[in-house]
Amino acid sequence: MPMHSRLLLAGVSTLALAVSATAQTITEATPPGGIVLDAITLIADGRENVEATGGVVVGRDDIEALQPADVSELFSRNSAVTVSAGAGQSKRVHVFGLEQSNLAVSVDGVPQIKDSWHHSGSNVIDPAFLKRVEVEAGAATADAGFGAAAGAVRYETLGARDLLTEGRNQGGRVGLSYGSNGRGLSANLAGYGVYENMDWFAMVHVARGDDYETGDGLEIKGSESATTGGLVKLGYEFEGHRIELSYEHSRDDADRVTRMNMDQRRDGDLFPLEITRDSFTLKYTQTAPTATWDPEVVFYLNRNEYWRPNFVPGRAGGDFAFEAQTVGGVMQNRFDTGPGTVTAGLDWNYSDYRIDNYGDTDVRIHTTETMQVGAFVQGRFEFDNGIDLSTGARLDHHRYTDWNSLRKTDSGASVNGTVSYEFAPGYEVFAGASRTWLGYDIGEYGYLHARDSAVVTSPDYEPATARNYKLGLNAAQDNWTGNLTLFDTRLDGLANAYFPVLENSEEYRSRGVTLSGQYSWGSGRAGASLTKAKLSYDGDELPPAGGEVTPIGTVASLYVDQEIPQYNLTVGATVELADRLSGDYIDDNGFGDHPGYGVVNAYAAWRPAQYENVVVRLGVDNLLDKAYYERSSYGRNLVRDVYPLYAPGRTVTLGLTLDF
């Protein structure tokens, strides 16, 4: 990053924290009759800036309406997020074409382990457990966590108080659905309640199905749903304190293709594959915080396992097992400063990675570990003159030890700033920038499954960095809102693919524009979003080869929801669109053109008048039975005879939800 940009960001952070101490005095000095603009609260509470700066929020109402079976359906109404096709565990989530391992991903505030292998997906949680998702694209805040290269993804799960109805202290929910085209049976059961100082929530979810068919009748081998998950939360409050213990588990166990993100030669060979994820969390907060004491302390343990036995006998990298485990914590306090808040704290984590290839090379087991300790401060301020500001900084120390016991350590600083100005009632402009120090990027450690003793870390290996810039316009008038965001993200020094030396890659870049808008009329709403991004590596456009960065071209989504009160009915539809990708950057790399597509999904939800605790839902995905593969999927490789994983054809699902 140029020196003047670093000084600008650092200056903005210092100025904002200093101004917060005197802003209240300035506000009180505003002369009577002076012009005070109503704020859109771009930065308020540190969350409204997500959508207002080109990010994505999938709220509880959206999740209830969509009833997503996977992350493709979860983000189907947001063009900024694209998801590749195939079985649930093969889906990779990309934001502006950058895979979510380049973002700080958390579940209920707990950082998640990066993806293990480029042929597996990035789905970190079962959508059945979700209450809300925020995708902060670009300049992430300092308290978003370590390694927020291109933003942050925050998954928030359900709890007892989210489902309890007024006047009740306990309850339950059961959900059943059955779908055609391999969707099969899905069932979840939840129980929750509050008793004196305690609250609890427990939920299990199971999905079983068959291989689905594409719109042109091709059966996708190894695409069956085979997931099992559970979520438990226990809370206890005493004398203004709250302690919460939670545990989340997910498992996918089925026969899959050798590389889950592609259809290799369409040979249909399947092999056992089991993927599990476990997360333990202990959290402390206060139920009656003060202006100077609003703490949060979190300790966590995450464990991911990837197990593939009985592959091709004698083939290097055939049978293998991956394991990753992280233990860490976050301690922070939020201070009320009058015109806003300042959050300051410490975070740390230790991660170890183990790859066992069952002896197919001269080194059977590769182990790697990392250690990070960081301090951060983030201020969020709203001023009566129409200016809102979010700015902060963090300092991190990182240690990396590779499979040959080579140890490297370094420290670095990150700064961010986003400012908005409401120049007319309901209209504001904003600009944001960040420079993020990422430490030593280990990449997708599963690449080591087929490597021997010749693989080493370069002695010149350095920490990676990221730069983000944003510029845009927001509008909000009565029952409509709109956003235009120009973005530019640059990732420098990420890990290569260990062929055969781990060294820094050249610069990855995503730049483009995203637009969104919504209109509401009381009983319904309609909205649209469009994202156009250009992805490059070292200045050259990237082919559709999947992985951490992949081209998306121009993608769009349209949606509508309408309540019909006289029938206790809600209906809605989503249209997903993508243009065709073609050019020398695709042809010269051995790929075929990426076809465009237009897909329609529709649903109807009925709540019987005499049974308000019952919802019956009928959903039809890919209504027109199109044969297509989702953008950010691996493309058609003509040289290696690799096909993309096509999405399901028309799928009809009937579901029932009962609260009791």
Side-chain angles (χ1 to χ4, degrees):
M1 170 179 266
M3 181 59 68
H4 67 274
S5 297
R6 298 185 191 181
L7 292 174
L8 175 62
L9 283 173
V12 168
S13 299
T14 304
L15 175 63
L17 296 176
V19 166
S20 67
T22 59
Q24 184 65 34
T25 302
I26 296 174
T27 299
E28 293 172 352
T30 301
I35 299 176
V36 179
L37 300 178
D38 294 331
I40 300 180
T41 61
L42 176 78
I43 314 297
D45 297 326
R47 292 296 177 261
E48 284 81 350
N49 68 318
V50 173
E51 286 184 301
T53 55
V56 169
V57 174
V58 184
R60 184 177 171 187
D61 290 342
D62 299 309
I63 294 174
E64 291 284 347
L66 295 173
Q67 291 292 301
D70 53 42
V71 287
S72 289
E73 297 178 8
L74 177 67
F75 293 115
S76 62
R77 293 185 166 186
N78 303 280
S79 63
V81 183
T82 56
V83 183
S84 53
Q89 294 298 323
S90 70
K91 291 182 176 295
R92 297 179 69 88
V93 179
H94 289 75
V95 181
F96 296 158
L98 305 174
E99 207 271 337
Q100 74 171 34
S101 60
N102 295 304
L103 292 84
V105 181
S106 64
V107 177
D108 292 332
V110 176
Q112 300 300 298
I113 296 171
K114 291 186 63 173
D115 297 332
S116 60
W117 194 36
H118 63 300
H119 292 304
S120 61
S122 52
N123 185 6
V124 298
I125 192 167
D126 191 329
F129 302 144
L130 288 176
K131 177 177 70 174
R132 179 180 172 91
V133 184
E134 296 176 349
V135 181
E136 189 175 7
T141 56
D143 53 0
F146 174 68
V153 180
R154 291 182 280 266
Y155 295 94
E156 187 176 351
T157 62
L158 291 165
R161 289 180 170 82
D162 299 315
L163 297 179
L164 278 175
T165 56
E166 186 176 355
R168 299 195 60 183
N169 57 15
Q170 61 182 346
R173 169 174 289 188
V174 60
L176 293 170
S177 70
Y178 183 81
S180 65
N181 193 21
R183 177 64 61 88
L185 180 67
S186 177
N188 59 72
L189 177 65
Y192 42 86
V194 176
Y195 178 72
E196 294 184 348
N197 297 340
M198 294 192 64
D199 57 86
W200 68 91
F201 177 88
M203 184 176 184
V204 293
H205 177 245
V206 178
R208 295 290 185 271
D210 299 313
D211 295 339
Y212 66 76
E213 292 185 356
T214 67
D216 57 7
L218 175 67
E219 182 180 5
I220 300 299
K221 297 292 187 180
S223 62
E224 65 180 271
S225 56
T227 59
T228 303
L231 174 65
V232 177
K233 294 183 177 181
L234 299 173
Y236 180 68
E237 298 179 3
F238 61 99
E239 299 178 352
H241 308 283
R242 174 176 174 81
I243 296 176
E244 181 178 284
L245 177 66
S246 64
Y247 169 63
E248 194 251 320
H249 169 79
S250 65
R251 177 186 179 191
D252 184 277
D253 187 4
D255 290 344
R256 305 295 189 192
V257 294
T258 58
R259 291 168 173 81
M260 294 177 63
N261 65 331
M262 60 177 63
D263 189 359
Q264 197 165 16
R265 293 182 295 278
R266 294 189 169 173
D267 53 21
D269 292 340
L270 302 178
F271 304 91
L273 177 63
E274 180 179 340
I275 302 174
T276 62
R277 172 181 167 273
D278 295 275
S279 181
F280 295 88
T281 307
L282 179 63
K283 179 181 295 187
Y284 166 80
T285 56
Q286 281 220 329
T287 58
T290 66
T292 58
W293 185 241
D294 186 6
E296 180 177 291
V297 180
V298 180
F299 296 100
Y300 59 86
L301 172 64
N302 292 331
R303 184 178 180 87
N304 292 359
E305 295 181 279
Y306 193 103
W307 182 63
R308 187 177 80 177
N310 305 321
F311 185 53
V312 180
R315 176 174 172 178
D319 299 346
F320 56 71
F322 306 152
E323 297 177 10
Q325 182 169 281
T326 296
V327 58
V330 181
M331 294 174 287
Q332 65 181 35
N333 185 58
R334 187 170 68 169
F335 304 87
D336 189 338
T337 63
T341 62
V342 175
T343 301
L346 304 170
D347 56 22
W348 63 275
N349 71 70
Y350 169 80
S351 300
D352 64 78
Y353 309 86
R354 176 186 172 95
I355 305 95
D356 188 340
N357 64 7
Y358 298 112
D360 287 334
T361 68
D362 63 346
V363 177
R364 173 177 172 176
I365 296 175
H366 293 278
T367 59
T368 301
E369 63 180 41
T370 61
M371 179 69 172
Q372 170 266 330
V373 179
F376 58 86
V377 59
Q378 185 73 30
R380 300 174 173 93
F381 312 104
E382 301 174 54
F383 304 112
D384 290 338
N385 59 2
I387 294 177
D388 292 345
L389 178 65
S390 174
T391 185
R394 62 178 295 132
L395 178 66
D396 290 286
H397 178 77
H398 201 229
R399 185 186 73 195
Y400 160 67
T401 305
D402 78 351
W403 49 94
N404 294 320
S405 299
L406 172 67
R407 176 169 292 182
K408 300 178 76 69
T409 61
D410 205 345
S411 301
S414 306
V415 289
N416 72 84
T418 301
V419 61
S420 70
Y421 175 65
E422 187 176 17
F423 59 89
Y427 296 92
E428 67 177 358
V429 292
F430 67 87
S434 67
R435 193 268 186 185
T436 307
W437 188 83
L438 305 175
Y440 296 98
D441 178 38
I442 68 168
E444 294 165 326
Y445 67 93
Y447 272 112
L448 289 166
H449 78 283
R451 306 295 179 259
D452 56 22
S453 57
V455 180
V456 297
T457 299
S458 170
D460 299 324
Y461 196 52
E462 298 179 346
T465 59
R467 288 174 288 167
N468 288 278
Y469 304 97
K470 279 186 177 183
L471 182 66
L473 171 70
N474 291 308
Q477 294 294 322
D478 297 326
N479 50 1
W480 65 269
T481 61
N483 166 264
L484 166 67
T485 299
L486 304 174
F487 59 87
D488 189 348
T489 296
R490 306 183 185 198
L491 311 178
D492 188 33
L494 297 182
N496 69 1
Y498 313 110
F499 288 120
V501 178
L502 174 62
E503 56 189 356
N504 298 111
S505 66
E506 300 299 328
E507 180 186 84
Y508 288 99
R509 187 178 185 185
S510 173
R511 62 190 188 275
V513 60
T514 183
L515 302 94
S516 64
Q518 180 175 287
Y519 178 78
S520 302
W521 55 88
S523 62
R525 61 177 180 171
S529 66
L530 180 145
T531 300
K532 181 178 178 63
K534 181 178 180 181
L535 282 299
S536 62
Y537 175 71
D538 195 22
D540 297 325
E541 290 188 78
L542 285 163
E548 292 193 1
V549 183
T550 190
I552 61 172
T554 302
V555 290
S557 63
L558 313 171
Y559 63 88
V560 61
D561 298 301
Q562 176 63 57
E563 295 180 3
I564 308 176
Q566 59 269 37
Y567 299 110
N568 302 306
L569 188 67
T570 302
V571 297
T574 304
V575 180
E576 301 175 66
L577 303 166
D579 69 338
R580 185 180 188 87
L581 297 184
S582 61
D584 292 342
Y585 72 99
I586 292 179
D587 299 338
D588 293 348
N589 286 280
F591 286 86
D593 289 354
H594 236 18
Y597 58 84
V599 181
V600 180
N601 308 312
Y603 77 91
W606 176 54
R607 187 184 295 271
Q610 62 274 37
Y611 300 104
E612 294 187 359
N613 60 329
V614 175
V615 177
V616 179
R617 185 182 187 277
L618 177 66
V620 184
D621 296 322
N622 195 355
L623 178 66
L624 304 179
D625 207 20
K626 293 285 187 179
Y628 77 105
Y629 55 93
E630 297 165 285
R631 195 50 48 90
S632 77
S633 296
Y634 195 97
R636 174 75 167 100
N637 191 306
L638 305 175
V639 176
R640 298 174 56 198
D641 193 22
V642 172
Y643 294 83
L645 279 176
Y646 279 76
R650 184 185 298 116
T651 304
V652 181
T653 305
L654 180 63
L656 171 70
T657 301
L658 170 65
D659 291 306
F660 56 90

